[in-house]
Amino acid sequence: MAKSPVQKFLSKFFDVRSGETSTALLMFFYFFLITSSAYVIKPVKISLYLEWLKPKNLPYAYLLTALVIGFFVTLNSKLLQAMKRQLYISLSLVFFILNLFIFWLLFKQQWAWVSMVYWVWSDIFMITSVTQFWILINDIYNPRQVKRLVGFLVSGGLLGGIEGSLLAAFLARSIGTEKLLLICPLMLFLCLVIVNFVSRLQKVESGEGTEALKKLKKPKITYSKSFQLLRKNRHLMLLCGIVVAGIVVTTLVDFQFNLIIESQYEDQNTRTAFLGTFFTILLIFSYLLHVFSTNRILKNFGIRTALLITPFFLLIGSMAIFLFPLGYMIYWAALIKGTDKSLAHSLSQSVRELLYIPINPEIKYKAKVFIDMFVNKFAKGFGALLILLFFSVLQFTIKQMSFIAIVFIFVWIVLNLLITREYVNIVKRNLEIKWQDADKFIREKIDIDMTKLVFDTLQSKKRSSVLYAMNLFDLLKKEKLSPELKKIISYKSDEVLASSMDSLLELDGETLLPEADDSLEDEALDAQVKEIMSLDVYQQLMNEHIDKVISEESQEAEISKMEAAKVLGMMEPSSSVIHSLSQLLKDESPEVIRYAVESAGNLKSREFVPLLVQHLSQPRTERIASKALVEYGSKITGTLKDYLGDPDEDLRLRKAIPDIIFQIGTQRAANLLTLELRKKSRDVETEIIEALYKMKSKKPQLRFQRKIILSEVISVIKKSYLILIEMHDLMSDEKKVYLAKDLENNLARSLKHIFELLSLIYPHDDIIRAYQNICSGTKESLDYSIELLDNILKREIKEALLPLIDDVPFEDKARRCSKMLKTLEKAELA
């Protein structure tokens, strides 16, 4: 789809995508007009209050606001549930427009109490209008969209605040403070038009945000239920704590600032003009900070760092006021006020709104209104009580008041750290596992080796009673054998008589196995067999017997070789007879080799390792040879690594080795296999990555060398870039489109390897959850997956991976991959 001229322009500065342009622009101007009105109303509020009621009475204004706002929270919650969103916001705007005209008339009477009422009303206006804006944003967009668009949207609010502050600064002296209010109704009327237009636009466009939400039944909610809702949700409780701590600090800073302003500017209109100028400078700085920092901080450092920046700077400023002489206090107070508001309007607001996005839609709106309108003002009231207690009653100085702020800043920092963990947990809960790991499922549900042993035992009955007896003997020693199966296979039969093994064990007609019984004396039977086999005379007879059968070529000789191979595996590794097993491992018969390989695995003698490894190159013996080598355990991992890294060895043999090392599964095995990644052996790369992944899935406690894994991740990402770019080139040529299908499969395989590698060094379940939802989830699941990765991956990995998985047109994706490939290559050269 071709981009519109407006989208092309916006995409140069912000990540606004197809289908978002219209609503994004409308919401930009909506926020512009709301904040423009707010920053005309705000200087009027402060100036008139300081003129008529003086700064010492500010705590009472904070308290009254906190008390009155409770009523509006209850009313607002009921209206949200009872009315359509569009109608509710429209009526609110009409209400505020009428109020502005009423206050303009009342200010002419010069009644002091009007400034108190206006103070409370202006706070209600600012909280309500901003809350309604973010409710609309939550209705329209999903988390990933908000994270992309928040920079653009907040820019509208900051620019609107600059315009409103400039109007107040330039017009206060010429028309007077009170008449500034007449500017706002026109701007709020335009907001009314935008709200209704956005509503119509959402009906004709396929909204990606919360169309399903609109279909939800809206349960009735009361103030007490709102509180209960928050109390049961850890994330929301932490968010409440952050709001309280942050606003208490802001209230203390605001009080210090207003005390200074009142003492410096006695004339009402001059004070209003100064406040307009101050807010203009503050908002210009906020805008520059937002444009050049907010998105970069969120993108490169994540929510945790973004949450800590504001309290960190406020901590420095408050400590400066507490520690430095009084002469510098004015400058530090102004600096703290500017820093607090600058970050509040840019970074802090953006991050705080992001924290609401993953919350369940059924409770998100109730919680947001309650926090933004009640908790916000409760915190303001609590801050006011602290000011009354410490400043008015205990006579704390401004310097000492800064110590109170420092305490709450530390609380704020701790809560920020806690909520980032909870935020990631909520994002995880929005992503479900799409499929179970097949290998893990089979390992847990099916004992393949046990099944094969039972099958081989039954099959051997047709070949030789001796083989049948020895296989039964192995089977009965298995601890996993059920009592029912033991009864079935341990019945007395002619084939399972000791006479059938006279040529091997010389037991004179005694039965090898006891008759069916609830208890089988497996240990006693095992000891008896081993005792007979350890006799010198028996081993001498075995040597002669094996030498004889090896030289024969008949079918009877093949069975005898199988019997000999089987019985050698039952001897002690120190026996001199076992050297004959090497001859049997070289036999031409696959059946003889199979029994010889099994016995070599039982004996675990190093002299058989080279012969076993060579059998990995043969399809008929690969599996049984692998199983035998696994029996050797960690002591042969070094040898296996040598074979794996030798390019002159048979490729099939080398590809079988990583799975053997996985089955050995020790930390040493994991370390050696990881080191092989550094060699960049592309012909066995897939097998090594999959073996490492299965190791981590089976044994989460294993640790892998991060530096090597990250290097391989970047390598596979670059390979994926090249595949995607080649796909793009082929798709532009109609004659070669069919070739792109193979490349698409290769790209999917490479993406799978990237996530398998990431799961080795990052939380395994989180990475797999994200990968599965990227592959087969909805667009919303994709956004949540990227959000999860954004919070757990390091910056350099996020930047490299995002072009491959982000939901953008294929042409844009190819262009971004090409650009990122050049960046990575330059970084390597540097």
Side-chain angles (χ1 to χ4, degrees):
M1 182 183 292
K3 293 182 179 179
S4 66
V6 175
Q7 187 185 349
K8 287 181 180 179
F9 175 77
L10 290 177
S11 61
K12 293 179 181 179
F13 307 99
F14 302 98
D15 194 1
V16 180
R17 299 179 184 174
S18 178
E20 300 170 345
T21 309
S22 299
T23 53
L25 274 174
L26 287 169
M27 296 313 296
F28 173 91
F29 285 112
Y30 180 89
F31 204 24
F32 176 92
L33 294 167
I34 285 294
T35 54
S36 184
S37 300
Y39 275 89
V40 171
I41 291 169
K42 190 170 185 177
V44 175
K45 174 187 80 169
I46 297 173
S47 184
L48 290 179
Y49 192 95
L50 295 179
E51 175 71 19
W52 293 346
L53 292 174
K54 305 304 177 185
K56 65 180 181 179
N57 292 314
L58 276 173
Y60 299 106
Y62 299 150
L63 280 173
L64 183 60
T65 302
L67 293 172
V68 173
I69 207 74
F71 167 75
F72 280 91
V73 168
T74 305
L75 177 62
N76 191 68
S77 296
K78 290 181 178 180
L79 292 175
L80 265 175
Q81 300 304 315
M83 303 171 66
K84 292 181 178 180
R85 200 89 72 213
Q86 169 206 352
L87 180 60
Y88 161 69
I89 295 175
S90 297
L91 290 176
S92 298
L93 290 169
V94 171
F95 172 76
F96 289 129
I97 290 170
L98 294 175
N99 288 172
L100 285 165
F101 287 112
I102 293 171
F103 276 115
W104 174 66
L105 294 172
L106 289 174
F107 284 147
K108 292 182 178 182
Q109 307 304 317
Q110 298 287 311
W111 294 328
W113 61 267
V114 176
S115 65
M116 176 69 80
V117 175
Y118 178 71
W119 180 287
V120 175
W121 176 90
S122 64
D123 279 359
I124 292 172
F125 166 75
M126 284 183 274
I127 289 292
T128 302
S129 57
V130 172
T131 299
Q132 288 173 351
F133 167 76
W134 286 110
I135 284 176
L136 284 173
I137 294 302
N138 279 310
D139 274 346
I140 297 169
Y141 303 116
N142 62 42
R144 194 66 193 170
Q145 287 177 300
V146 173
K147 201 165 188 177
R148 283 191 290 100
L149 297 173
V150 69
F152 176 63
L153 298 171
V154 172
S155 294
L158 291 172
L159 291 173
I162 292 171
E163 189 224 24
S165 298
L166 284 172
L167 288 173
F170 287 111
L171 297 178
R173 289 190 180 94
S174 59
I175 68 173
T177 299
E178 295 86 349
K179 290 182 180 179
L180 288 174
L181 296 185
L182 298 178
I183 302 171
C184 300
L186 176 60
M187 292 188 282
L188 294 183
F189 176 77
L190 293 175
C191 288
L192 184 62
V193 174
I194 290 173
V195 167
N196 287 275
F197 191 76
V198 167
S199 177
R200 292 182 182 179
L201 194 63
Q202 283 297 99
K203 291 178 182 178
V204 297
E205 291 184 354
S206 55
E208 296 176 352
T210 54
E211 288 299 314
L213 175 68
K214 297 174 184 178
K215 299 176 182 177
L216 291 174
K217 183 179 178 181
K218 297 181 180 179
K220 291 185 178 180
I221 192 78
T222 63
Y223 165 74
S224 60
K225 287 183 179 179
S226 295
F227 177 73
Q228 292 298 321
L229 202 64
L230 264 68
R231 194 171 62 86
K232 294 176 182 178
N233 190 302
R234 175 178 166 80
H235 181 82
L236 293 175
M237 287 300 293
L238 288 171
L239 193 53
C240 286
I242 289 170
V243 170
V244 170
I247 290 178
V248 166
V249 173
T250 299
T251 302
L252 295 172
V253 169
D254 186 65
F255 179 71
Q256 292 170 329
F257 178 76
N258 285 326
L259 279 175
I260 294 169
I261 294 303
E262 195 271 339
S263 64
Q264 294 292 319
Y265 299 96
E266 296 181 359
D267 179 67
Q268 173 183 299
N269 293 332
T270 303
R271 185 167 52 243
T272 303
F274 167 78
L275 289 170
T277 304
F278 177 80
F279 288 131
T280 299
I281 296 171
L282 184 150
L283 287 166
I284 290 173
F285 177 72
S286 297
Y287 179 74
L288 295 174
L289 181 69
H290 177 71
V291 170
F292 294 108
S293 301
T294 299
N295 283 347
R296 287 182 173 86
I297 291 171
L298 286 171
K299 181 180 178 181
N300 297 328
F301 302 102
I303 284 181
R304 174 177 293 187
T305 301
L307 281 168
L308 293 176
I309 288 175
T310 300
F312 175 76
F313 280 107
L314 290 177
L315 179 64
I316 292 175
S318 296
M319 291 180 70
I321 290 180
F322 185 71
L323 296 174
F324 290 130
L326 293 174
Y328 298 96
M329 193 177 297
I330 292 175
Y331 304 107
W332 281 111
L335 182 62
I336 293 174
K337 175 73 173 179
T339 302
D340 178 33
K341 291 301 179 184
S342 296
L343 292 170
H345 290 307
S346 55
L347 185 63
S348 297
Q349 183 178 8
S350 301
V351 178
R352 189 169 60 249
E353 297 303 329
L354 281 174
L355 293 174
Y356 284 106
I357 303 298
I359 301 294
N360 188 318
E362 293 184 17
I363 63 174
K364 181 192 302 183
Y365 303 103
K366 311 178 192 91
K368 180 168 178 54
V369 170
F370 183 81
I371 291 174
D372 285 358
M373 298 189 72
F374 176 77
V375 176
N376 187 303
K377 291 308 168 185
F378 166 80
K380 198 87 170 179
F382 181 61
L385 288 175
L386 290 175
I387 294 170
L388 286 173
L389 174 63
F390 290 101
F391 186 78
S392 301
V393 178
L394 299 179
Q395 300 294 305
F396 270 36
T397 63
I398 293 179
K399 182 184 282 283
Q400 291 170 324
M401 291 297 291
S402 294
F403 179 75
I404 307 299
I406 290 170
V407 172
F408 278 92
I409 289 171
F410 277 111
V411 173
W412 189 2
I413 290 172
V414 171
L415 291 173
N416 280 338
L417 292 173
L418 291 174
I419 202 169
T420 52
R421 296 180 187 175
E422 192 65 25
Y423 175 82
V424 173
N425 290 334
I426 290 176
V427 172
K428 291 179 194 177
R429 289 197 288 270
N430 279 286
L431 297 172
E432 60 180 15
I433 293 292
K434 298 293 183 180
W435 64 81
Q436 296 295 322
D437 187 295
D439 289 331
K440 185 177 180 181
F441 179 82
I442 290 173
R443 286 197 305 268
E444 292 176 351
K445 302 297 182 181
I446 304 172
D447 191 336
I448 296 176
D449 292 330
M450 186 66 185
T451 304
K452 186 177 182 301
L453 183 55
V454 173
F455 180 78
D456 289 344
T457 300
L458 297 175
Q459 285 291 101
S460 64
K461 182 178 179 180
K462 300 176 182 179
R463 292 180 176 273
S464 163
S465 60
V466 173
L467 286 174
Y468 182 45
M470 287 188 288
N471 282 333
L472 279 175
F473 178 63
D474 283 346
L475 196 57
L476 291 171
K477 289 194 295 182
K478 295 290 181 181
E479 294 180 359
K480 295 181 180 179
L481 196 63
S482 66
E484 293 79 12
L485 190 53
K486 281 187 177 184
K487 288 181 180 181
I488 292 173
I489 65 174
S490 63
Y491 66 90
K492 183 176 180 180
S493 73
D494 293 336
E495 290 86 358
V496 195
L497 293 174
S499 58
S500 66
M501 298 184 66
D502 282 349
S503 61
L504 296 177
L505 298 181
E506 302 277 326
L507 293 183
D508 298 328
E510 296 181 22
T511 55
L512 176 66
L513 300 173
E515 297 186 19
D517 190 77
D518 287 339
S519 62
L520 296 171
E521 299 177 1
D522 301 331
E523 293 182 4
L525 186 60
D526 186 30
Q528 186 179 15
V529 171
K530 287 183 177 179
E531 183 180 352
I532 294 171
M533 289 184 171
S534 65
L535 297 174
D536 292 339
V537 62
Y538 177 76
Q539 296 196 23
Q540 183 179 353
L541 289 171
M542 278 298 302
N543 265 324
E544 295 173 0
H545 177 71
I546 292 172
D547 291 341
K548 179 181 177 182
V549 299
I550 285 175
S551 61
E552 297 178 358
E553 298 295 336
S554 63
Q555 186 176 356
E556 290 78 9
E558 181 185 23
I559 294 174
S560 296
K561 291 176 186 178
M562 292 162 62
E563 294 170 348
K566 180 70 177 178
V567 81
L568 285 173
M570 300 170 71
M571 293 185 172
E572 293 294 331
S574 58
S575 173
S576 59
V577 185
I578 67 168
H579 300 296
S580 302
L581 192 61
S582 297
Q583 295 294 324
L584 296 172
L585 284 168
K586 301 173 185 176
D587 199 86
E588 295 180 359
S589 168
E591 291 297 320
V592 173
I593 291 174
R594 186 169 65 82
Y595 277 98
V597 168
E598 284 183 354
S599 292
N602 292 334
L603 295 169
K604 303 179 185 64
S605 175
R606 277 192 171 272
E607 67 178 287
F608 304 133
V609 172
L611 294 170
L612 291 172
V613 170
Q614 293 306 315
H615 282 299
L616 295 174
S617 62
Q618 303 299 319
R620 290 183 297 181
T621 56
E622 179 186 345
R623 189 181 183 283
I624 190 68
S626 297
K627 183 175 181 295
L629 288 167
V630 171
E631 296 294 331
Y632 279 79
S634 188
K635 66 181 181 180
I636 64 164
T637 50
T639 303
L640 293 173
K641 178 179 176 292
D642 293 337
Y643 279 102
L644 176 62
D646 187 354
D648 296 328
E649 284 290 347
D650 182 87
L651 184 58
R652 185 183 182 93
L653 179 155
R654 293 173 64 206
K655 287 189 172 187
I657 288 175
D659 192 66
I660 297 170
I661 297 178
F662 146 65
Q663 292 182 68
I664 291 172
T666 61
Q667 184 62 59
R668 182 168 182 266
N671 293 341
L672 291 175
L673 201 55
T674 304
L675 288 173
E676 280 302 304
L677 283 176
R678 197 157 51 184
K679 293 183 178 180
K680 308 296 182 184
S681 302
R682 297 305 177 197
D683 46 0
V684 291
E685 179 185 64
T686 295
E687 287 73 21
I688 292 174
I689 293 174
E690 290 179 354
L692 288 170
Y693 169 72
K694 289 191 288 186
M695 268 185 165
K696 186 67 174 180
S697 298
K698 187 177 181 180
K699 295 184 176 180
Q701 71 273 16
L702 291 178
R703 294 292 177 264
F704 299 86
Q705 298 178 51
R706 176 177 287 268
K707 187 176 180 180
I708 296 176
I709 299 300
L710 287 177
S711 175
E712 182 65 14
V713 168
I714 295 297
S715 179
V716 180
I717 286 176
K718 288 167 62 180
K719 173 184 170 183
S720 302
Y721 288 164
L722 293 171
I723 295 172
L724 194 143
I725 293 167
E726 186 178 355
M727 283 176 60
H728 176 261
D729 294 340
L730 289 173
M731 291 174 70
S732 61
D733 186 346
E734 293 182 1
K735 297 179 179 179
K736 298 180 180 179
V737 171
Y738 69 93
L739 296 175
K741 191 65 180 177
D742 289 337
L743 290 176
E744 187 178 350
N745 293 334
N746 291 340
L747 182 62
R749 193 178 302 112
S750 294
L751 190 64
K752 178 174 178 284
H753 290 163
I754 291 169
F755 280 90
E756 286 176 341
L757 288 166
L758 289 174
S759 73
L760 304 179
I761 54 176
Y762 290 102
H764 182 82
D765 290 344
D766 295 348
I767 295 296
I768 300 308
R769 193 185 302 270
Y771 169 69
Q772 291 184 1
N773 280 272
I774 287 170
C775 290
S776 62
T778 62
K779 186 181 184 304
E780 186 176 8
S781 296
L782 171 63
D783 288 330
Y784 274 116
S785 298
I786 295 176
E787 183 66 17
L788 176 59
L789 295 173
D790 202 23
N791 282 277
I792 62 178
L793 297 182
K794 293 292 185 182
R795 174 186 171 185
E796 60 272 15
I797 298 298
K798 285 190 295 188
E799 290 181 346
L801 180 60
L802 196 59
L804 289 173
I805 61 177
D806 208 359
D807 183 30
V808 295
F810 192 75
E811 184 178 347
D812 291 345
K813 184 175 288 191
R815 184 170 59 252
R816 291 173 66 183
C817 287
S818 179
K819 182 180 178 181
M820 196 65 199
L821 181 60
K822 292 176 183 177
T823 302
L824 292 177
E825 289 175 344
K826 286 180 182 178
E828 285 184 358
L829 292 174

